[in-house]
Amino acid sequence: MATPVLIPTALRAFADAQTRVEVEGRTVGEVLANLAARYSELRRHLYADDGRLRSFVNVYVNDEDIRALARDATPVGPGDTISIVPAIAGGKAAR
């Protein structure tokens, strides 16, 4: 079963400019691993050298943060969508 993965603007250059990619997998971890295998340049933006998802990469199944679920082991099923949301930092502090 393929799960749609929404690719954020900042990462589209590493995924052939795709906004949405259908990827096979039964869990979030499998889907993201297959996505990174398909688009090898995307791997370094998603995963640290130790193979773990980078801390500033937020992943959601539908509207649920996988950190509040089963992380990489979160199952995906028909009708689910995975969103990759990189954290954004910077700006000016409010006074």
Side-chain angles (χ1 to χ4, degrees):
M1 168 192 61
T3 300
V5 179
L6 304 180
I7 309 296
T9 303
L11 297 178
R12 289 180 189 157
F14 310 106
D16 291 339
Q18 300 296 309
T19 59
R20 175 184 166 125
V21 180
E22 298 281 332
V23 184
E24 295 289 328
R26 293 176 299 174
T27 65
V28 170
E30 288 178 9
V31 171
L32 292 179
N34 290 337
L35 178 68
R38 185 182 305 175
Y39 301 106
S40 59
E41 289 185 38
L42 190 57
R43 175 174 296 286
R44 66 185 171 96
H45 297 282
L46 296 178
Y47 294 100
D49 291 339
D50 64 4
R52 288 192 228 168
L53 199 58
R54 291 188 180 278
S55 62
F56 57 82
V57 175
N58 302 306
V59 178
Y60 295 83
V61 173
N62 304 319
D63 292 328
E64 297 286 327
D65 188 333
I66 66 167
R67 292 175 290 198
L69 301 170
R71 298 187 172 273
D72 290 2
T74 300
V76 291
D80 288 336
T81 298
I82 295 175
S83 300
I84 301 170
V85 182
I88 298 174
K92 188 174 180 181
R95 291 185 190 246

